[in-house]
Amino acid sequence: MSDLEDAQAIEKEDPGAIAEAGMLGRWIDRGGIVFAIGIVLSMVILINEVLLRYLFNAPTIWAHETTIFLCGTAFIYGGLYCTARDKHIRVVLIYDVLPARLRRLLDIVISLVCAGASAIFSWAAWTMVLRAAFRPDGSFRLERSGSAWDPVYPGAIKIFLLAVLAVMAVQFLLLAFNYARGRR
């Protein structure tokens, strides 16, 4: 098989976001490449750090925190990405043997429960953001790591988590609506 045929076979195997996810799901699916690049970038940063540290005895102060931030954002986005692609964890032992109507009803209920959970987690993330992004006087200042480099990654990751959880709640509501309409 040629490289072109391999690429076409992979493309056929990867349909992207499910139809029930709508336009939001398609945007989320396309955004996944940004976070995949972040994982590759973190690998390059770590290789650079190892070379600088062990070959030149010149370690950096930023590599460790940056790779944690990049990987953390990718993992957080992964939940949203899996939701849009319907690749989240599901116990299929019972689900797969049920008739289509009952599976659709379960899809609706599961999506509504997950939307509620995502909304509650969003609220919890909002309380974290209040402490991580705002001073007691209300002025904006992101929480910093406290290391020698002292980046704003802790505050930024909490804001990102809030955004992802809020979008995830909306995505689950959209899925429940589309399942109820019978699109699956």
Side-chain angles (χ1 to χ4, degrees):
M1 222 182 217
S2 73
D3 288 340
L4 179 60
E5 290 171 336
D6 287 341
Q8 289 172 340
I10 290 170
E11 190 173 309
K12 287 180 184 176
E13 293 171 14
D14 184 22
I18 59 173
E20 294 85 359
M23 187 184 306
L24 178 60
R26 289 190 298 276
W27 287 348
I28 292 166
D29 185 60
R30 285 189 208 117
I33 190 69
V34 172
F35 299 95
I37 291 169
I39 294 289
V40 172
L41 182 59
S42 69
M43 178 200 64
V44 169
I45 291 169
L46 286 175
I47 290 170
N48 177 61
E49 175 66 10
V50 167
L51 292 174
L52 288 173
R53 179 179 299 264
Y54 295 108
L55 290 182
F56 302 106
N57 197 24
T60 65
I61 61 171
W62 56 269
H64 181 68
E65 287 175 308
T66 302
T67 56
I68 289 173
F69 177 75
L70 289 171
C71 291
T73 56
F75 294 149
I76 290 169
Y77 192 82
L80 187 58
Y81 187 79
C82 288
T83 300
R85 290 175 149 248
D86 195 30
K87 297 295 182 189
H88 52 85
I89 297 171
R90 176 184 288 143
V91 179
V92 295
L93 182 64
I94 298 169
Y95 183 86
D96 284 350
V97 296
L98 294 174
R101 288 184 80 149
L102 200 49
R103 275 197 308 254
R104 191 176 97 203
L105 180 63
L106 276 176
D107 286 336
I108 295 166
V109 170
I110 290 168
S111 294
L112 290 173
V113 168
C114 289
S118 297
I120 291 168
F121 291 139
S122 295
W123 177 255
W126 170 247
T127 62
M128 282 192 325
V129 167
L130 285 176
R131 289 190 307 272
F134 299 100
R135 292 181 177 156
D137 67 359
S139 62
F140 183 79
R141 184 169 192 286
L142 283 177
E143 177 183 356
R144 302 182 85 79
S145 71
S147 69
W149 186 40
D150 204 25
V152 296
Y153 291 160
I157 199 89
K158 290 173 184 175
I159 292 171
F160 183 68
L161 177 63
L162 169 62
V164 165
L165 287 169
V167 172
M168 190 180 291
V170 171
Q171 179 69 81
F172 276 121
L173 287 174
L174 181 64
L175 286 169
F177 177 76
N178 285 331
Y179 289 141
R181 284 187 8 190
R183 288 187 69 177
R184 182 177 229 192

